[in-house]
Amino acid sequence: MTSRFISSEIYRETGYGSNHPLAIQRIGTVLSLCEQLGWLEPQGARAYVDSPVATLDDLLKLHAPDYVAALQAAENGGGVSAAMRERYRIGTMENPVFKGLFRRASTSVGGSILAARLAAEGGIAYHPSGGTHHGMRDHASGFCYFNDPAFAVLTFLEQGFERVLYVDLDAHHGDGVEAAFRGHDDVFLISVHEENRWPHTGRLEDRSTGNARNIPVPRELNDTEFDVLLDQAVLPLARQFAPQAVVVTCGADGLAGDPLSAMALSNGCLWDAVMRLAALSPSTVVLGGGGYNPWTVARCWAGLWGRLSDQAIPDALPPESVALLRALDCDLVDDEDRLPRWYTTLVDPRNDGPVRERVNEIAAAVLAPAAPTGPAPHAADAGTAARSGTGTGTGTGTGTGTTRLSEDVSA
């Protein structure tokens, strides 16, 4: 199966400014690790594809014109008014204005659009720079300005796919993507996230209009428990939907050692989950997402590419990679909490453990009263609907649906 790696040199630079959880090296380190391991030119063919920048027409398929204009004006002016901050939630500590903001966010969207177009031809497109799943139609949210995962889903729909599965493995609920496709019978959404964690949406009983299942998990979720949920909830739901294409957001913030969540997964557990999800259809997009420990993020996403591109993952990293990881820093991770293996290896040991009864209860509740079946025939053109701002339209498929990012999911 063909695997492509999509990213951009823009991510070698950190954004967001100082004193922000994302003011750390993430994608740049992933790129460097993969280059040092020779993984961007597997089998003598260049796997790396440079991410395009989304056009204004692209962005307006899912985002409000005044919001897009406000982001452009904020970057050009170097700040926002109090009214703009209140209306669009930009220029805040959570969603700061910084140099290169608009281009960086637009590149993330462009990469996810390209990923879906490439995957539509067959294979896997990996875009670790993506995963901004909290972005809303008309405002920023949770460090996310635009919602690139929603654009990956939308692009599959525009390519004529009639059943697109979205699975979110980030520690935080994928609220923006759920909002984008509320009422869409050709999209099914599954989110596995830590319960009682920001944005405090995605409760177990919340199913959108029936096309979503939320799986909020308890703190310290271990690999064994995650596997139970995958086997007994996620995969049964996914298989009954019978997706023609899959989009996975594989946030690294569910890993043990992340400062902004309390889950305890190993990176190998996440890799296995992504591989099993990718096997559900011939066309898969895999995105990044959250992750605020630069060592666990870089090792997870570099190793994930190794798995996706069928590389031999080494037991020990070469000296240049060890030096790269040792040079990283993060104010959110104390020195005494930094594990030696974070500098020398890619693979975490599995974190197996007992399965709490709560986990079994969650798996059962997600499937009750019945798992979803394939969608009814659908005939809506999602792109036309979103561009017109009506939330409905005509085009590929059969039925009606809405693609506008709704405004009623609050953080």
Side-chain angles (χ1 to χ4, degrees), residues 214-294:
N214 284 299
I215 307 177
V217 302
R219 293 168 61 93
E220 302 297 328
L221 188 81
N222 62 47
D223 288 359
T224 311
E225 292 175 318
F226 183 91
D227 290 346
V228 166
L229 292 171
L230 187 70
D231 288 331
Q232 297 184 16
V234 176
L235 289 173
L237 287 166
R239 289 179 181 129
Q240 291 195 41
F241 183 65
Q244 297 170 329
V246 174
V247 178
V248 181
T249 289
C250 184
D253 45 5
L255 298 175
D258 193 276
L260 294 192
S261 78
M263 295 169 66
L265 302 178
S266 71
N267 54 24
C269 180
L270 282 180
W271 300 343
D272 289 343
V274 172
M275 297 303 293
R276 296 179 71 185
L277 291 166
L280 294 172
S281 82
S283 299
T284 301
V285 168
V286 180
L287 307 173
Y292 309 94
N293 176 323

Side-chain angles (χ1 to χ4, degrees), residues 44-379:
R46 179 85 170 152
Y48 181 86
V49 181
D50 192 53
S51 173
V53 180
T55 67
L56 184 61
D57 285 343
D58 288 332
L59 296 173
L60 294 180
K61 291 178 181 180
L62 286 176
H63 289 286
D66 59 321
Y67 171 54
V68 174
L71 274 180
Q72 289 178 305
E75 182 178 353
N76 292 337
V80 298
S81 66
M84 288 177 64
R85 183 180 301 111
E86 176 69 21
R87 181 170 182 177
Y88 302 113
R89 303 184 194 176
I90 54 178
T92 63
M93 292 183 66
E94 177 184 328
N95 309 307
V97 173
F98 56 90
K99 184 179 179 180
L101 161 62
F102 191 84
R103 184 174 181 84
R104 190 182 183 98
S106 300
T107 301
S108 182
V109 172
S112 286
I113 291 173
L114 177 61
R117 287 174 178 166
L118 291 174
E121 299 171 359
I124 296 172
Y126 181 45
H127 180 217
S129 316
T132 55
H133 60 165
H134 297 305
M136 294 293 177
R137 177 180 181 269
D138 60 358
H139 65 270
S141 178
F143 315 156
C144 304
Y145 301 88
F146 297 136
N147 196 309
D148 72 89
F151 281 93
V153 173
L154 176 61
T155 301
F156 274 133
L157 296 176
E158 291 178 331
Q159 295 289 313
F161 290 82
E162 296 181 341
R163 295 188 303 280
V164 181
L165 173 69
Y166 175 74
V167 181
D168 198 311
L169 304 179
D170 194 277
H172 301 82
H173 176 229
D175 57 344
V177 187
E178 182 178 305
F181 295 101
R182 180 174 289 115
H184 242 267
D185 55 4
D186 44 12
V187 178
F188 193 75
L189 308 106
I190 302 172
S191 179
V192 182
H193 49 272
E194 186 181 337
E195 64 184 356
N196 301 320
R197 176 71 61 181
W198 190 95
H200 304 293
T201 53
R203 294 171 299 177
L204 185 59
E205 65 271 23
D206 291 343
R207 297 189 172 187
S208 186
T209 57
N211 70 326
R213 293 294 186 275
N214 284 299
I215 307 177
V217 302
R219 293 168 61 93
E220 302 297 328
L221 188 81
N222 62 47
D223 288 359
T224 311
E225 292 175 318
F226 183 91
D227 290 346
V228 166
L229 292 171
L230 187 70
D231 288 331
Q232 297 184 16
V234 176
L235 289 173
L237 287 166
R239 289 179 181 129
Q240 291 195 41
F241 183 65
Q244 297 170 329
V246 174
V247 178
V248 181
T249 289
C250 184
D253 45 5
L255 298 175
D258 193 276
L260 294 192
S261 78
M263 295 169 66
L265 302 178
S266 71
N267 54 24
C269 180
L270 282 180
W271 300 343
D272 289 343
V274 172
M275 297 303 293
R276 296 179 71 185
L277 291 166
L280 294 172
S281 82
S283 299
T284 301
V285 168
V286 180
L287 307 173
Y292 309 94
N293 176 323
W295 299 279
T296 57
V297 170
R299 294 166 63 252
C300 180
W301 290 346
L304 179 55
W305 170 243
R307 289 288 300 276
L308 293 171
S309 57
D310 197 25
Q311 304 296 320
I313 298 180
D315 293 331
L317 289 170
E320 60 269 30
S321 298
V322 174
L324 174 71
L325 292 170
R326 287 191 181 279
L328 298 176
D329 196 15
C330 178
D331 291 340
L332 296 176
V333 182
D334 293 334
D335 290 348
E336 58 269 25
D337 294 329
R338 302 177 187 182
L339 302 181
R341 70 168 182 270
W342 290 353
Y343 307 126
T344 59
T345 67
L346 285 184
V347 185
D348 295 331
R350 273 190 63 89
N351 180 28
D352 286 308
V355 177
R356 287 166 283 184
E357 184 56 31
R358 173 62 178 153
V359 171
N360 290 320
E361 292 171 353
I362 291 169
V366 169
L367 293 180
T373 59
H378 184 73

